[in-house]
Amino acid sequence: MEINILKEMADMSHKIIKSYETLNEINEIDIATSPKTEVYAEDKLKLYRYDRDTEATYKTPVLIVYALVNTYKMLDIQPDRSYIKNLLNAGLDVYLIDWGYPSKSDKYLSIDDYVSGYINNCVDFIRKKHRIEKLNILSICQGGTLSVIYASLYPGKVKNLVTHVTPIDFSTNDGLLFKWSKDMDFDKLVEANDGLIPGDFLNQGFDMLKPMMKVQKQQALSASIDDKDKLLNFLRMEKWISESPDQAGECYRQFMKDLYQQNKLVKGELEVGGKKVNLKNLTANLLNIYATEDHLVPPAATTPLNDLVGSKDKELYSFKGGHIGVFVGSKSQKELAPAVTTWLKKRDA
């Protein structure tokens, strides 16, 4: 017994020493390192075009529209787990919207400002640059909802639409987020925060959806503290979470009330910029991707999209995994990214 205790103490001491050595070796937590060039800017927004060493083999460029919540950097979290790098390696010409960090001066930005303003301006920039009528949009989560609205209002500008883990039908009670939102007073929430919803507030809410995740994170950290590669993987994800931007209050209010509470998009009652959003007007080829274990956007919120749009060419893709695993998991790199690029290639003529 005494020998076992001494051995455990020696092992622990060795791990602690190794942990200090590992931490001392880490000078910087690098994420989103794929080279890119800013090609357009408007207010806080920046439009990037990813650098390529060779000419793109796809004729149609793709615009990535990420959610307003968190940042696009999760798509390029590290070189060996980069969704964006996979798109580039496949031969795509990739553009991406970086929404930036809203301040108090942006608190009155509406859904219309994001859809018919920012997204439309970026689309027109790319259309003019490449002398094309339509481009591809690859969208993520809330960015997918905004892109679906955009493609419904501007069907003549979108050729292929790929949506990832995108909430569309908000009537479901499959996820806690959908249940909680039904009874919240979002007017008071926006007013209490002077029109700017803190990113930390939203992250705390996401943590409450899966409270055991905190425990699992601590266990993961303890298990990886003496392994540099594993520790960097952990720290990169934590850095991405810590950089979550605040949300423009008016857009947040509209999104939560009109969609989460009243489900206006599915009902055909949503108005953006004085125009009714009719999903039947969305005629772009559609690839709708959902994650089977998604606790943030359950499949029931995503899958109805295919029955609501006017697209003749539409496909539903089931990914076995969670909300974040769609992009950062090893399975995503081997399975999903190739499936998306193959789907786009077949429709690139």
Side-chain angles (χ1 to χ4, degrees), residues 103-327:
S103 62
K104 288 291 175 66
S105 63
D106 304 303
K107 65 182 181 181
Y108 295 116
L109 289 175
S110 64
I111 291 177
D112 183 47
D113 291 317
Y114 282 99
V115 172
S116 294
Y118 295 136
I119 293 177
N120 193 43
N121 291 342
C122 289
V123 167
D124 283 348
F125 174 88
I126 298 169
R127 290 170 66 232
K128 183 178 179 181
K129 172 79 174 176
H130 292 265
R131 298 179 182 178
I132 55 175
E133 291 185 9
K134 299 181 179 183
L135 50 63
N136 300 329
I137 291 182
L138 191 153
S139 56
I140 291 89
C141 191
Q142 181 194 25
T145 314
L146 297 177
S147 296
V148 164
I149 294 170
Y150 179 80
S152 299
L153 293 175
Y154 302 92
K157 298 183 180 183
V158 184
K159 183 175 184 178
N160 300 302
L161 175 62
V162 182
T163 57
H164 298 73
V165 291
T166 292
I168 295 295
D169 187 347
F170 295 81
S171 64
T172 181
N173 284 316
D174 283 3
L176 277 177
L177 183 61
F178 289 79
K179 292 180 181 179
W180 289 350
S181 64
K182 301 292 191 294
D183 301 313
M184 292 184 69
D185 189 332
F186 292 105
D187 289 323
K188 286 187 177 179
L189 181 60
V190 172
E191 182 182 348
N193 287 281
D194 195 19
L196 201 65
I197 305 299
D200 287 342
F201 167 80
L202 296 177
N203 282 334
Q204 289 170 15
F206 295 145
D207 284 343
M208 291 172 65
L209 298 175
K210 272 190 138 181
M212 288 305 293
M213 282 290 289
K214 283 284 188 183
V215 177
Q216 293 170 0
K217 278 187 178 182
Q218 293 300 323
Q219 291 175 338
L221 178 59
S222 298
S224 63
I225 195 71
D226 58 342
D227 185 314
K228 185 179 179 181
D229 290 337
K230 289 182 179 179
L231 181 59
L232 278 171
N233 288 349
F234 178 88
L235 293 176
R236 286 187 181 106
M237 288 301 296
E238 291 304 298
K239 181 177 181 179
W240 169 67
I241 293 171
S242 72
E243 293 180 346
S244 299
D246 298 337
Q247 302 295 297
E250 186 55 32
C251 181
Y252 177 79
R253 185 207 313 266
Q254 291 176 338
F255 202 89
M256 301 309 293
K257 292 178 66 176
D258 287 354
L259 299 180
Y260 272 93
Q261 291 187 334
Q262 300 178 49
N263 202 26
K264 288 185 177 181
L265 181 58
V266 165
K267 294 177 180 178
E269 300 172 357
L270 180 67
E271 286 194 13
V272 174
K275 300 176 184 177
K276 278 281 183 68
V277 180
N278 184 351
L279 290 175
K280 288 298 180 185
N281 290 337
L282 195 164
T283 54
N285 303 324
L286 173 67
L287 177 60
N288 184 16
I289 300 163
Y290 69 94
T292 57
E293 309 303 321
D294 197 332
H295 72 290
L296 290 176
V297 183
T302 298
T303 56
L305 176 63
N306 288 51
D307 294 326
L308 296 169
V309 299
S311 308
K312 293 180 180 179
D313 181 350
K314 48 191 175 181
E315 184 176 334
L316 192 62
Y317 189 101
S318 174
F319 179 83
K320 293 182 180 179
H323 192 77
I324 304 300
V326 169
F327 307 102

Side-chain angles (χ1 to χ4, degrees), residues 18 20-28 228:
K18 187 70 169 65
Y20 278 116
E21 292 175 353
T22 301
L23 288 169
N24 285 331
E25 290 176 6
I26 298 175
N27 298 317
E28 185 180 356
K228 185 179 179 181

Side-chain angles (χ1 to χ4, degrees), residues 33-48:
T33 57
S34 295
K36 57 187 180 297
T37 301
E38 180 183 322
V39 293
Y40 174 79
E42 181 180 358
D43 300 332
K44 304 294 194 304
L45 174 149
K46 291 181 180 179
L47 177 66
Y48 290 109

